[in-house]
Amino acid sequence: MTDDAHADAGWFEGVGPDDPEAGAARIREGRADAPADWPEQAVESGFADDETDYYAKLHDAAVRASREAAAEREQAGDQQLVHAIRAMDDLDAQANELAERVAEWAGSRYPDAGTGIEYARELAGRDPASPVEERLVSLARRVADLADESDALRAFVERETPEVAPNLSALAGPILAARLISLAGGLDALSKQPAGTVQVLGAEDSLFAHLKGHASSPKHGVIFTHEYVRGTRPEKRGSAARTLSGKLAIAARVDYYSGDRKPELDAELRKRIDRIRGVETDHDNEGSDGDEGSDGDEGGAGE
Amino acid sequence: MTPDLPDGVERRTFDGRERLATRGDPVYGEPTDEGWRVWDAGRSKLGAMVELGLDTGLAGGETALYLGAASGTTVSHVADFGGPTYAVEFAPRPVRDLVGVAEDRPNLFPLLKDARKPETYAHVVESDVDLLVQDVATRGQARVAVRNREFLADDGRLLAAIKARSEDVTRDPDDVFADALADLEESYEVLETERLEPYHDDHLGVVARPL
């Protein structure tokens, strides 16, 4: 039904005249080297009675194919990222915990024992010389395997996130973008969050402490890992976090509702952050210290 | 002098303003009047090209391939005045809306495909279409039009909207347009170009015919 033998055949080749399901599958998976006069060929081959009948059949199959393919692709992308980033975090946590155990155990045997995952990797490469070493080196190998799997997941997330959320990924970096999607529960859910919520995603503990009345409100959640926040001096970080989260919220909406890449978002964000940091830019010499960009678009820096 | 509007497109008065309109079911809450609905040049680059009087060569009834159909706003108008209309869009979320638009229009065929890979839909889209619309807003917009040349009849028309900021936000739009036109000229003769202001900033409308 979907083999390459049909590389010069229309989508209806081998499809029964009253089988829109098979037609939809061929539309989704088939290919051809070049277009041809498909309506005429379909009538000649008996697939359709006439041109009108052909277009009616094509319409049924194309609507069905696109609806199914869109639903599958929407499912696929963001939820797979959510699983991948959570699995990556689990692996890191487990690998670090076991690496501590390895370091503690190794310290009891070798005066030059190191710590951390790098040391576990080093140990994993040794030939064990005793039954105890056999266990210790074997444990170190598990740590190295977990760390390898985490690296592979990170590479996967870095590759996939730009496909699922091109603008969010460009603004936040693929890993942070995937974390935001994960914390919100999906791109759909993230696209419905106001900027203020995006700003504190991942800071739920401090947020609830604040709401109970015994802490100040958190300035940022996971977006703290972004260079635009972390690289801004502390007294300006709140502004930077607010501006960044505003643009991230917009990027998530663009990704969810249109999917088009809008490079102008990157440039606007850069400019606003420069202004907050008091850096003069080529396009803009109003960047005096303390000016927070009162041109706040939806969810931006307005206060 | 302004070229004639294609059959199926009229200027009609809505709220005291003369605007383009086509005949069909409303799609996005646009104003309607006696079965006609506004074709908003501010929301449609092709609408802006017609509104600004580019000689699009459209007569009505065209078989069309529309690349970058998004949610189907513009392609719904093309299907209103055109013949069989193939709508290619690669992002799944807008395709959900596009399918809704196509359900009520028997001559509109939605395809969730990547316009940069015509071999993935050449088994569906027929050869010798009269009209190729290039509305894909990604880097390499002109090359997308070049790659899809094979669908277009020798006497057909390419109508393209080149978005400067999709290529490079930091460059002067005029330089970006010059490069895009040079790319297009690999397989097209450019007949007319015009900036789409005030309807769309930093967009160039292009009418071309295949070489």
Side-chain angles (χ1 to χ4, degrees), chain A residues 28-266:
Chain A
R28 289 180 59 181
E29 292 153 34
R31 50 179 57 221
D33 296 333
D37 191 344
W38 304 128
E40 189 181 281
Q41 289 193 20
V43 174
E44 270 171 18
S45 74
F47 172 77
D49 302 335
D50 54 26
E51 205 172 75
T52 310
D53 182 40
Y54 170 76
Y55 285 127
K57 288 184 159 114
L58 171 59
H59 185 260
D60 281 357
V63 164
R64 182 187 283 253
S66 300
R67 184 189 293 120
E68 289 171 357
E72 266 175 41
R73 282 257 312 275
E74 279 194 83
Q75 280 280 321
D78 63 336
Q79 291 307 321
Q80 298 313 299
L81 276 184
V82 169
H83 289 299
I85 195 91
R86 289 178 185 169
M88 189 183 101
D89 287 346
D90 290 346
L91 285 164
D92 285 345
Q94 303 290 331
N96 279 309
E97 193 174 333
L98 285 174
E100 271 181 52
R101 174 69 54 212
V102 166
E104 199 178 324
W105 191 347
S108 74
R109 297 186 59 80
Y110 315 120
D112 61 338
T115 57
I117 286 174
E118 277 324 296
Y119 178 66
R121 281 190 196 281
E122 185 193 319
L123 211 53
R126 284 198 196 165
D127 273 335
S130 69
V132 172
E133 274 192 1
E134 221 166 85
R135 303 293 14 112
L136 176 55
V137 168
S138 177
L139 184 63
R141 283 181 187 150
R142 307 300 142 212
V143 175
D145 283 350
L146 291 174
D148 287 349
E149 190 55 37
S150 168
D151 291 347
L153 274 172
R154 175 176 294 269
F156 170 81
V157 171
E158 283 172 349
R159 203 172 56 240
E160 287 300 306
T161 313
E163 298 285 326
V164 173
N167 293 292
L168 187 66
S169 183
L171 261 56
I175 298 293
L176 176 56
R179 272 191 210 295
L180 290 168
I181 292 170
S182 165
L183 286 163
L187 184 57
D188 176 1
L190 184 62
S191 73
K192 295 179 175 61
Q193 305 281 12
T197 305
V198 173
Q199 188 180 340
V200 295
L201 276 175
E204 284 74 11
D205 290 348
S206 347
L207 182 63
F208 287 120
H210 165 63
L211 293 174
K212 281 184 180 164
H214 37 77
S216 59
S217 73
K219 284 198 288 290
H220 35 61
V222 284
I223 64 165
F224 180 68
T225 59
H226 198 288
E227 200 275 326
Y228 283 173
V229 178
R230 207 170 34 177
T232 297
R233 61 187 186 282
E235 67 273 21
K236 289 283 175 190
R237 267 184 205 153
S239 304
R242 203 156 58 237
T243 299
L244 175 63
S245 56
K247 284 290 181 226
L248 295 180
I250 292 168
R253 286 168 218 162
V254 174
D255 287 337
Y256 182 68
Y257 288 102
S258 109
D260 283 346
R261 177 81 177 94
K262 295 207 184 308
E264 57 265 35
L265 286 174
D266 314 19

Side-chain angles (χ1 to χ4, degrees), chain B residues 14-89:
Chain B
F14 294 85
D15 291 332
R17 258 176 74 204
E18 225 179 47
R19 305 178 71 179
L20 293 175
T22 64
R23 212 183 250 287
D25 290 331
V27 166
Y28 49 93
E30 67 278 24
T32 56
D33 176 37
E34 294 169 17
W36 291 82
R37 62 195 186 97
V38 167
W39 184 6
D40 185 351
R43 298 181 61 144
S44 166
K45 281 151 248 163
L46 191 59
M49 290 171 74
V50 173
E51 182 72 73
L52 291 168
L54 273 86
D55 189 1
T56 59
L58 291 171
E62 282 85 4
T63 299
L65 169 56
Y66 195 110
L67 307 172
S71 303
T73 310
T74 299
V75 80
S76 69
H77 291 288
V78 174
D80 284 353
F81 68 76
T85 303
Y86 299 88
V88 171
E89 171 57 48

Side-chain angles (χ1 to χ4, degrees), chain B residues 55-58 129-133 152-159 188 191 207-210:
Chain B
D55 189 1
T56 59
L58 291 171
V129 302
D130 307 305
L131 169 65
L132 176 63
V133 181
L152 195 53
D154 290 337
D155 59 351
R157 281 288 181 279
L158 166 71
L159 301 179
Y188 294 94
L191 300 173
V207 182
R209 72 172 165 223

Side-chain angles (χ1 to χ4, degrees), chain B residues 26-174:
Chain B
V27 166
Y28 49 93
E30 67 278 24
T32 56
D33 176 37
E34 294 169 17
W36 291 82
R37 62 195 186 97
V38 167
W39 184 6
D40 185 351
R43 298 181 61 144
S44 166
K45 281 151 248 163
L46 191 59
M49 290 171 74
V50 173
E51 182 72 73
L52 291 168
L54 273 86
D55 189 1
T56 59
L58 291 171
E62 282 85 4
T63 299
L65 169 56
Y66 195 110
L67 307 172
S71 303
T73 310
T74 299
V75 80
S76 69
H77 291 288
V78 174
D80 284 353
F81 68 76
T85 303
Y86 299 88
V88 171
E89 171 57 48
F90 192 45
R93 175 63 191 85
V95 166
R96 209 198 297 158
D97 297 334
L98 176 63
V99 165
V101 172
E103 271 175 335
D104 305 329
R105 290 180 164 75
N107 63 328
L108 180 56
F109 316 118
L111 296 167
L112 179 81
K113 301 283 183 186
D114 184 348
R116 290 167 301 185
K117 296 177 183 159
E119 69 277 10
T120 61
Y121 49 88
H123 65 306
V124 183
V125 179
E126 62 196 86
S127 52
D128 292 332
V129 302
D130 307 305
L131 169 65
L132 176 63
V133 181
Q134 200 313 97
D135 197 7
V136 177
T138 53
R139 202 178 275 256
Q141 301 162 88
R143 288 191 296 282
V144 169
V146 168
R147 233 174 263 179
N148 284 273
R149 154 71 180 89
E150 60 178 336
F151 293 99
L152 195 53
D154 290 337
D155 59 351
R157 281 288 181 279
L158 166 71
L159 301 179
I162 307 290
K163 180 183 179 186
R165 289 190 287 187
S166 291
E167 299 292 329
D168 188 338
V169 276
T170 61
R171 284 181 66 204
D172 184 335
D174 287 330

